Amino acid sequence: MHDVLQRFLFDQAPVRGALIRLDQSWREILSHHSYPPRLRNLLGELLAAGALLAANLKFDGTLIMQMQGSGGLKLAVVEINADHTLRATARWDGELDEHASVEALLGQGQFVITLDPRNGSQPYQGIVALEGNSVAAMLEHYMLRSEQLDTRLMLASDGEQAAGMLLQRLPDGHGDADGWPRVQALAETVSADELLTTPADTLLYRLFHQESVQCFEPASLNFACTCSRERVAGMLQMMGKAEVASVIEEQGSVEVQCDFCNQRYVFDEDDTAGLFVDAPPSGPAPSLH
């Protein structure tokens, strides 16, 4: 089974976990852009990490992880929805050092996690400190400091798969108190190649066959973009009638291309004629994605 998220729980240790491997969905994301290998692998790790963190949330909405910087890495965004659909995109400038840390790639930058509820209530944002040489290290620090959760992340990505494993320590009272360091030690024997190519049940047995592990029903994931012509129309309304008319006068039409899936939306003068009938007042244009 590919593009799968497998959650599990240790019976005798205070640990819960999840494994993820993305195949077809990851290749679909890569088919829309030609990323340098360093950026491709970073984006895959970010996507796997986001899906793993979302797995333990009782939340109806979208988890968004976004890195933005002044260095060679300008932007990396992943989105994971409660219905197990996901998408990702990135922007960069110039040559990227294959061995550079995430912090070096970003330069002056920030790493933000957003929980955007589907019911329209106020989103929650958390700032991830740029501490550590990898996506995994930064998120481990964030989960400990912001959520008071001991967390261990192992991530891997290449041009075919993105994968990862998450372990989190449960509150005292569940299982053997020595179980957390024991399980961590076993997990740290996993290789990137194993994460990318080994089925979840095989990998769990290889790592934890001496432990009692309860596996939950696996969940499948797939790529899906949420852009639409209606959302672009709403963006144009927010730009305002005068600005849209100016663009059409200069270029003959307004063209918008989605950063995630490369879908192009074209609006000519006839298309925009009805957009500003009883339209809301102009304001800052929302993001297409």
Side-chain angles (χ1 to χ4, degrees):
M1 186 176 182
H2 303 298
D3 295 281
V4 65
L5 173 74
Q6 176 67 69
R7 295 171 57 243
F8 53 91
L9 178 70
F10 289 81
D11 291 331
Q12 304 302 323
V15 184
R16 67 180 178 183
L19 277 166
I20 190 168
R21 195 175 103 194
L22 304 172
D23 296 274
Q24 184 176 339
S25 59
W26 176 231
R27 290 191 289 270
E28 175 71 14
I29 288 168
L30 293 181
S31 72
H32 299 295
H33 300 279
S34 180
Y35 296 119
R38 179 68 181 96
L39 178 54
R40 176 201 67 199
N41 295 345
L42 184 151
L43 187 65
E45 291 179 7
L46 195 65
L47 185 65
L52 287 168
L53 293 177
N56 288 323
L57 293 176
K58 295 180 179 178
F59 173 73
D60 185 19
T62 303
L63 183 147
I64 305 164
M65 299 175 69
Q66 177 172 316
M67 290 181 169
Q68 191 165 0
S70 61
L73 173 56
K74 299 301 182 185
L75 179 71
V77 183
V78 304
E79 296 183 3
I80 299 91
N81 295 306
D83 61 1
H84 296 122
T85 60
L86 44 80
R87 61 180 188 166
T89 190
R91 298 175 191 163
W92 75 101
D93 183 33
E95 297 292 327
L96 300 182
D97 184 347
E98 287 296 302
H99 305 290
S101 67
V102 178
E103 188 173 2
L105 289 172
L106 281 170
Q108 295 295 318
Q110 62 177 359
F111 184 179
V112 180
I113 297 177
T114 303
L115 296 178
D116 189 8
R118 188 172 293 175
N119 63 11
S121 59
Q122 188 71 21
Y124 163 82
Q125 284 196 331
I127 305 299
V128 180
L130 302 181
E131 298 178 348
N133 295 324
S134 67
V135 171
M138 291 177 181
L139 289 172
E140 287 172 357
H141 288 306
Y142 172 77
M143 294 303 294
L144 181 60
R145 293 183 180 180
S146 300
E147 308 299 328
Q148 288 74 54
L149 279 174
D150 286 308
T151 302
R152 187 76 175 89
L153 272 169
M154 281 70 73
L155 304 169
S157 177
D158 61 17
E160 296 294 322
Q161 292 97 14
M165 178 166 60
L166 173 143
L167 299 173
Q168 286 184 329
R169 184 176 183 174
L170 296 172
D172 292 341
H174 179 93
D176 181 1
D178 295 328
W180 172 242
R182 183 177 69 249
V183 168
Q184 279 193 94
L186 293 170
E188 286 169 1
T189 67
V190 73
S191 68
D193 184 65
E194 284 181 301
L195 285 173
L196 292 169
T197 62
T198 308
D201 54 351
T202 303
L203 186 56
L204 286 173
Y205 179 79
R206 206 284 283 168
L207 294 172
F208 308 120
H209 61 273
Q210 295 180 326
E211 303 287 329
S212 177
V213 181
Q214 176 186 355
C215 290
F216 300 98
E217 187 70 23
S220 60
L221 301 99
N222 62 278
F223 169 81
C225 193
T226 57
C227 71
S228 67
R229 189 171 181 84
E230 290 73 21
R231 295 188 71 174
V232 177
M235 182 186 72
L236 297 180
Q237 287 180 321
M238 293 297 290
M239 286 174 61
K241 183 176 182 180
E243 185 172 349
V244 171
S246 175
V247 174
I248 290 178
E249 182 178 359
E250 180 180 342
Q251 302 179 7
S253 64
V254 179
E255 295 189 14
V256 177
Q257 182 166 315
C258 177
D259 288 338
F260 290 91
C261 68
N262 282 345
Q263 177 68 44
R264 290 175 64 250
Y265 298 94
V266 180
F267 288 76
D268 60 20
E269 186 173 3
D270 290 338
D271 294 326
T272 59
L275 292 181
F276 299 99
V277 177
D278 298 324
S282 300
S287 168
L288 170 61
H289 51 270

